[in-house]
């Protein structure tokens, strides 16, 4: 009976079935049916972690059967009979049924044979041999699939690492377009790869393999041309092309389908525009697995960032002659790469100038994580400075991500506390092993209100008419450390002409020696410079500070300087309507407290509250109507004016109150506390006002 069985076993283990799970089951089903002269042969594979169950009848029809009636016999250790069992996919009830388990440690299933005549013992043994061969072949196929999956995953990771390394060392657009295609082909074993860069309205391509002479026109194509590259750049969306799609594109006329195979074109999207496209071509296999699309979207994103940076570097490099030594070349490249990740311009407003400086550490050429930014939203300008831990390409890459996140959250209108809280959560979700510090100061240029939140970073320094000070903040921890960290927003009022300085620790700190000398130098420089020229421009002030740094830089140094002329004469106004109810006096006092706190003049609170209470009480009690409360703080004169307007034209009367009187002292209190007071009478009533002077520090 076993004579000739080896022919069928060879079919099951043939190379052409290796790796093809369904093809293997078809071969085994037909081999078992022919070898044992069975009426029917059912092959059942119970499934694996990455494969669903398969149920095949007579090598032709796959059915959706996850739990067949012979499942118990399939779990046994030896061949079993299951005569008279109704089998899915077989119309008649078979008289004789043999169930042969696959008999492997990692695969579960069976080969089931049916026949009108009984099976002999030799035939049952043969069925067991067929099932055992199928089980081993299945194990090998699943192992190959797992190896292919692991290899694909590894190749994706390898490609990303390879691309990241190449981009970090590619200083020009030409280097990028030459290196990336070779890396993609080498790592992924694809057939072709090209990078196209948009230059004006023309896309210039470079890649592998070289184009044949008859298709050389595809090396340079117009942005509006009819081809997949131009389409991806115009639409900003990936384009998939196969041989069947050639007729869709006029520029592909004459290109053979096998030359196209399956090609994926991904746009290189920069911050403001599409910079070009990445093209990857395969043979007959499709790359359109979700992981592949994600992979090339990530590669395209990295290439786009590097191209933007390289284009800036190319423009700067064209103005330089030669680098003196290889060490200087590395140092300059590190500095330029760092600057390529920083903003190329900063917003300015009337009355507000913003300047920035960045200087790399003198030792070594590793890229640091110091960064700065400025974002304008309406009357507000957000000034941002930060530092990512370490000196490496990872630190620089994470710096770019943190800066982008902070800029996006600020642009959405969030306050400094929310911006830092969201950025902290994002950094933790990214799984970065590095942390970052950050200081965010948002200035409302219409009122001079400065809102500050910090994440493990030094607070801003302010120099104004009252002198030099470090803003008092309630700091939060660095970003990427604590999931539930809070970053309180602290508010400060800039009155009159002011200068704001934000810096990283490289400006003041010397490795191993601390920051005392650097901080003292910075403080003295600010005081002396602004004393000699109070209206010094931000650019000049920034240059003066950097030139005065007394130590050799052992760390990167970044700095933001903002000069603010102040609001109109430093004048701040607020008003509130009070209903004809004596309880409105409490509302007036609360309004006063809020305004003085916001204006950083709360040292007047006790005297101002006393004066306001008397003026508001007089208006509400003696006129029978409501009253209008107005507050004005003149920053230049350092005076607070409280005005209460009512509808009565009668002057308030001063009265002499006896020692036991419950009232009558209101205007006497105002006279005693206020620096000046008076009454203005108009057609619509009168206004009683009082002034309080803020004592100089």
């Amino acid at each position: 009976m076993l004579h000739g069985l080896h022919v069928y076993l060879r079919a099951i283990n043939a190379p052409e079935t290796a790796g093809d799970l369904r093809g293997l089951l078809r071969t085994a089903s037909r081999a078992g049916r022919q070898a044992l002269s069975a009426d029917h042969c059912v092959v059942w594979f119970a499934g694996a972690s990455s494969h669903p169950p398969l149920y095949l009848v007579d090598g032709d029809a796959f059915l959706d059967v996850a739990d067949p009636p012979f499942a118990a016999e399939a779990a046994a250790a030896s061949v079993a009979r299951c005569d008279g069992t109704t089998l899915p996919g077989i119309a008649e009830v078979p008289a004789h049924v043999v169930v042969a388990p696959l008999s492997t440690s990692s695969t579960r299933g069976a080969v089931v044979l049916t026949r009108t005549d009984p099976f002999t013992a030799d035939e049952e043994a043969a069925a067991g041999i067929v099932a055992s061969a199928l089980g081993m072949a299945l194990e090998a196929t699943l192992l190959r699939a797992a190896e292919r999956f692991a290899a694909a995953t590894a190749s994706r990771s390898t490609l990303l690492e390879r691309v990241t390394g190449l981009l970090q060392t590619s200083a020009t657009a030409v280097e990028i377009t030459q290196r990336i295609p070779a890396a993609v082909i080498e790592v992924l074993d694809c057939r072709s790869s090209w990078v196209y860069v948009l230059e004006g309205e023309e896309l210039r391509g470079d890649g592998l393999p070289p184009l044949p002479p008859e298709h050389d026109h595809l090396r340079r194509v117009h942005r509006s041309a009819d081809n997949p590259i131009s389409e991806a750049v115009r639409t900003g969306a990936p384009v998939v092309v196969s041989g069947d799609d050639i007729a869709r594109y006029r520029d592909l006329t004459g290109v053979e389908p096998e030359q196209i195979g399956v090609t994926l074109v991904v746009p290189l999207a920069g911050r403001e525009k599409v910079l070009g496209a990445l093209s990857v071509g395969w043979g007959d296999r499709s790359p359109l697995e979700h992981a592949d699309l994600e992979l090339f979207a990530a590669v395209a994103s990295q290439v786009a960032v590097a191209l933007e940076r390289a284009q800036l570097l190319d423009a700067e490099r064209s103005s330089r002659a030669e680098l003196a030594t290889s060490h200087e070349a590395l140092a300059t490249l590190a500095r330029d790469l760092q600057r390529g990740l920083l903003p190329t311009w900063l917003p300015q407003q009337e009355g507000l100038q913003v300047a920035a400086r960045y200087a790399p550490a003198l030792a070594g050429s590793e890229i640091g994580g110091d960064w700065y930014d400025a974002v304008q939203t309406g009357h507000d300008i957000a000034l941002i400075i930060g530092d990512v831990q370490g000196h490496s390409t990872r630190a620089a890459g994470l710096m770019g991500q943190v800066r982008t996140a902070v800029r996006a959250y600020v642009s959405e209108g969030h306050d400094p506390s929310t911006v830092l809280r969201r950025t902290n959560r994002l950094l933790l979700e990214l799984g970065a092993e590095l942390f970052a510090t950050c200081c965010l100061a948002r200035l409302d240029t219409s009122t001079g209100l400065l809102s500050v939140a910090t994440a493990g970073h030094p607070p801003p320094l302010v120099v104004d008419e009252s002198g030099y000070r470090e803003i008092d903040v309630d700091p939060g921890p660095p970003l990427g450390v604590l999931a539930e960290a809070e970053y309180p927003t602290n508010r400060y009022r800039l009155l009159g002409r002011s200068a704001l300085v934000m810096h990283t620790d490289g400006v003041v700190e010397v490795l191993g020696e601390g920051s005392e000398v650097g901080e003292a130098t910075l403080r003295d420089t600010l005081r002396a410079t602004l004393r000699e020229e109070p209206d010094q421009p931000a650019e000049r002030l920034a240059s003066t500070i950097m030139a005065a740094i007394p130590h050799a830089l052992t760390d990167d140094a970044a700095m933001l300087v903002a000069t603010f002329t102040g609001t109109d004469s430093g004048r701040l106004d607020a008003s509130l309507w009070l209903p004809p109810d004596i309880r409105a006096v409490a509302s007036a006092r609360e309004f006063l407290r809020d305004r003085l706190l916001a204006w950083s003049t709360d040292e007047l609170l006790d005297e101002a509250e006393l004066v306001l209470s008397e003026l508001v009480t007089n208006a509400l009690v003696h006129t029978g109507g409501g009253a209008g409360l107005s507050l004005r703080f003149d920053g230049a004169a350092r005076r607070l004016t409280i005005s209460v307007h009512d509808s009565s034209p009668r002057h308030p009367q001063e009265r002499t109150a006896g020692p036991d009187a419950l009232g009558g002292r209101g205007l006497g209190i105002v006279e005693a506390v206020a620096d000046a007071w008076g009454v203005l009478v108009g057609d619509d009533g009168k206004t009683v006002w009082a002034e309080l002077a803020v004592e100089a520090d």
Side-chain angles (χ1 to χ4, degrees):
M1 176 62 229
L2 300 182
H3 178 69
L5 184 60
H6 65 280
V7 175
Y8 301 103
L9 297 180
R10 275 203 304 270
I12 294 174
N13 292 286
E16 54 266 26
T17 64
D20 182 2
L21 191 61
R22 287 176 174 262
L24 176 60
L25 295 186
R26 285 193 178 97
T27 300
S29 177
R30 292 165 184 166
R33 188 177 182 186
Q34 293 172 10
L36 298 172
S37 301
D39 296 334
H40 300 284
C41 180
V42 173
V43 176
W44 174 60
F45 169 55
S49 59
S50 58
H51 296 278
L54 295 173
Y55 182 95
L56 176 64
V57 178
D58 294 339
D60 295 318
F62 282 97
L63 304 180
D64 185 12
V65 179
D67 188 20
F70 52 80
E73 288 77 4
S78 59
V79 177
R81 293 185 178 182
C82 196
D83 297 344
T85 300
T86 301
L87 300 177
I90 300 178
E92 71 275 9
V93 178
H96 299 282
V97 179
V98 170
V99 180
L102 298 187
S103 303
T104 65
S105 59
S106 60
T107 57
R108 191 165 68 89
V111 175
V112 181
L113 301 165
T114 73
R115 203 165 64 187
T116 304
D117 300 328
F119 291 94
T120 66
D122 287 346
E123 289 173 329
E124 290 182 7
I129 292 172
V130 171
S132 178
L134 174 59
M136 289 187 289
L138 277 173
E139 277 193 335
T141 298
L142 293 174
L143 180 59
R144 290 190 196 96
E147 290 173 347
R148 286 197 302 273
F149 178 79
T153 302
S155 66
R156 294 186 183 104
S157 299
T158 300
L159 178 61
L160 287 175
E161 292 174 0
R162 181 76 175 276
V163 167
T164 299
L166 288 176
L167 293 179
Q168 295 291 354
T169 57
S170 298
T172 68
V174 173
E175 289 180 347
I176 292 171
T177 57
Q178 290 178 345
R179 293 179 176 183
I180 295 303
V184 171
I185 292 176
E186 179 184 345
V187 176
L188 295 186
D189 194 28
C190 53
R191 191 166 67 182
S192 66
S193 179
W194 280 66
V195 174
Y196 283 82
V197 178
L198 185 62
E199 297 176 347
E201 289 296 306
E202 189 177 58
L203 287 155
R204 178 187 57 79
D206 204 341
L208 295 171
L211 292 174
E214 62 270 22
H215 301 317
D216 195 60
H217 64 282
L218 294 176
R219 183 181 296 276
R220 285 182 176 270
V221 296
H222 197 271
R223 186 177 182 275
S224 61
D226 189 16
N227 60 69
I229 303 297
S230 300
E231 179 182 337
V233 172
R234 286 195 306 271
T235 62
V239 176
V240 180
V241 186
S242 65
D244 298 334
D245 299 317
I246 290 178
R248 289 172 43 202
Y249 300 100
R250 188 165 51 249
D251 288 2
L252 298 185
T253 302
V255 177
E256 297 297 328
E258 57 269 18
Q259 292 177 298
I260 292 292
V262 177
T263 299
L264 172 65
V265 184
V266 185
L268 304 177
R271 288 176 293 180
E272 299 179 355
K273 64 178 182 178
V274 177
L275 305 173
L278 169 66
S279 169
V280 183
W282 287 262
D284 295 330
R285 75 176 184 86
S286 171
L288 296 183
E289 296 179 8
H290 183 68
D292 288 326
L293 291 174
E294 285 187 339
L295 169 67
F296 285 102
V299 172
S301 176
Q302 286 184 305
V303 173
V305 171
L307 274 177
E308 280 189 316
R309 184 180 64 219
Q311 288 168 354
L312 291 173
L313 292 174
D314 287 342
E316 183 176 346
R317 190 176 292 105
S318 63
S319 64
R320 289 199 306 263
E322 292 181 351
L323 297 173
T325 63
S326 59
H327 178 77
E328 290 175 350
L330 288 174
T332 301
L333 177 59
R335 182 182 67 249
D336 291 344
L337 289 174
Q338 173 74 5
R339 287 178 175 172
L341 295 172
L342 298 173
T344 56
W345 68 278
L346 298 172
Q348 312 287 329
Q349 281 189 12
E350 183 177 357
L352 177 71
Q353 296 180 5
V354 182
R357 293 292 183 272
Y358 168 78
L362 297 180
S365 58
E366 286 287 347
I367 305 171
D370 290 34
W371 58 282
Y372 58 82
D373 206 348
V375 183
Q376 181 172 348
T377 55
H379 289 295
D380 290 359
I381 283 190
L383 304 172
I384 312 154
I385 198 162
D387 187 2
V388 175
Q389 173 194 11
H391 287 78
S392 65
T393 53
R394 288 180 57 209
L398 184 61
M399 175 268 280
Q401 292 176 301
V402 173
R403 175 183 167 245
T404 300
V406 172
R407 185 179 186 88
Y409 293 140
V410 169
S411 299
E412 290 175 354
H414 299 293
D415 63 7
S417 176
T418 303
V419 170
L420 294 184
R421 191 165 59 249
R422 292 191 174 196
T423 305
N424 178 60
R425 286 202 299 265
L426 176 63
L427 203 56
L428 290 168
E429 290 170 2
L430 289 175
E433 297 179 356
L434 305 177
F435 65 81
T437 66
C438 182
C439 177
L440 197 162
R442 188 178 67 188
L443 174 62
D444 184 345
T445 56
S446 65
T447 64
L449 180 63
L450 186 68
S451 302
V452 182
T454 64
H457 200 89
L461 308 175
V462 171
V463 181
D464 56 17
E465 297 171 355
S466 63
Y468 170 98
R469 70 193 69 186
E470 181 180 277
I471 292 181
D472 188 19
V473 299
D474 186 7
L479 304 172
V481 176
L482 298 176
E484 301 301 324
E486 292 294 330
Y487 303 92
T489 296
N490 303 266
R491 290 175 175 81
Y492 185 84
R493 182 74 58 175
L494 298 182
L495 301 174
R497 186 175 297 278
S498 307
L500 182 76
V501 178
M502 303 166 67
H503 62 84
T504 58
D505 50 11
V507 173
V508 297
E509 189 171 296
V510 179
L511 185 64
E513 298 181 16
S515 60
E516 291 78 6
V517 174
E519 289 173 353
T521 301
L522 175 60
R523 180 170 59 249
D524 294 343
T525 302
L526 282 171
R527 284 174 171 167
T529 303
L530 294 176
R531 182 170 57 248
E532 295 172 3
E533 188 179 355
D535 57 350
Q536 184 162 157
E539 285 289 342
R540 195 189 309 165
L541 179 58
S543 297
T544 301
I545 294 173
M546 293 298 286
I549 294 177
H551 53 272
L553 294 180
T554 57
D555 193 3
D556 295 351
M559 182 175 62
L560 268 179
V561 174
T563 55
F564 180 51
T565 59
T567 57
D568 294 339
S569 302
R571 181 173 294 172
L572 304 169
D573 295 281
S575 59
L576 177 69
W577 174 253
L578 302 171
D581 186 339
I582 193 63
R583 289 174 295 185
V585 177
S587 300
R589 285 196 292 264
E590 183 177 356
F591 177 75
L592 173 71
R593 285 193 294 270
D594 289 343
R595 290 300 86 210
L596 294 189
L597 186 62
W599 294 345
S600 300
T601 55
D602 49 330
E603 63 265 45
L604 287 175
L605 183 57
D606 293 338
E607 294 89 343
E609 211 169 42
L610 185 58
V611 170
L612 175 138
S613 297
E614 297 301 331
L615 296 183
V616 171
T617 301
N618 282 345
L620 296 180
V621 170
H622 298 297
T623 66
L629 170 62
S630 297
L631 304 176
R632 168 168 293 178
F633 180 72
D634 189 335
R638 306 290 287 172
R639 298 182 75 82
L640 173 69
T641 303
I642 303 172
S643 302
V644 178
H645 179 83
D646 59 55
S647 58
S648 171
R650 294 178 52 200
H651 271 251
Q653 301 295 317
E654 288 192 62
R655 293 184 293 167
T656 302
D660 299 324
L662 299 177
R665 298 184 176 87
L667 292 180
I669 293 175
V670 173
E671 174 73 24
V673 175
D675 294 278
W677 73 282
V679 181
L680 298 174
V681 179
D683 295 335
D684 60 343
K686 68 176 180 296
T687 299
V688 183
W689 58 269
E691 284 187 352
L692 298 168
V694 181
E695 295 182 2
D697 293 338

